[in-house]
Amino acid sequence: MDRLRTYIKKDDRVMVMVGKDRGKIGKVLRIIPKKYRALVEKVNVAKRHTRPGPLSKEGGIIEKEAPVHISNLMLVCPKCTDPVRVSFKTLEDGKKVRICRKCGEPIENKG
């Protein structure tokens, strides 16, 4: 299977558009390209019941984020602070940047 292209990168702010967490905004912690999913901070939180072991001294219920499909996320533009669609533009120096479709400003990754 070929690696799927995505317009969402690590450290981007995204909004969840579908599901139980619809409307929540969070930072992308990790991208899983083979499964076309992303881990978003404080979104799709699942509870894991763990037993005490050599790695974790204490057992109990641990909350952690579960991956969300990328098609359910929309990038939040830092300039207009809205969820936006993205287009791409190649600059004079050959660098490819993402462009906000609403305000036309380039979206730079802070990571």
Side-chain angles (χ1 to χ4, degrees), residues 56-71:
S56 60
K57 299 294 180 199
E58 285 190 31
I61 301 169
I62 297 172
E63 291 186 352
K64 62 185 233 177
E65 293 94 359
V68 180
H69 200 269
I70 287 179
S71 66

Side-chain angles (χ1 to χ4, degrees), residues 21-108:
D21 293 321
R22 175 177 43 236
K24 285 188 180 178
I25 295 176
K27 187 174 99 170
V28 176
L29 302 174
R30 188 165 72 108
I31 298 285
I32 307 163
K34 286 189 177 179
K35 293 188 177 182
Y36 208 57
R37 291 179 172 267
L39 231 82
V40 183
E41 188 175 41
K42 297 178 186 165
V43 171
N44 197 21
V45 177
K47 293 185 177 184
R48 297 280 175 248
H49 297 260
T50 59
R51 297 175 67 177
L55 296 176
S56 60
K57 299 294 180 199
E58 285 190 31
I61 301 169
I62 297 172
E63 291 186 352
K64 62 185 233 177
E65 293 94 359
V68 180
H69 200 269
I70 287 179
S71 66
N72 297 333
L73 301 174
M74 250 180 132
L75 192 64
V76 175
C77 177
K79 306 287 189 299
C80 46
T81 64
D82 288 327
V84 292
R85 292 173 66 195
V86 176
S87 63
F88 291 91
K89 184 179 180 182
T90 307
L91 301 176
E92 296 85 32
D93 59 353
K95 188 176 178 185
K96 188 174 176 182
V97 293
R98 298 174 293 173
I99 304 289
C100 171
R101 289 263 179 108
K102 283 188 180 177
C103 63
E105 291 291 321
I107 299 170
E108 291 152 7

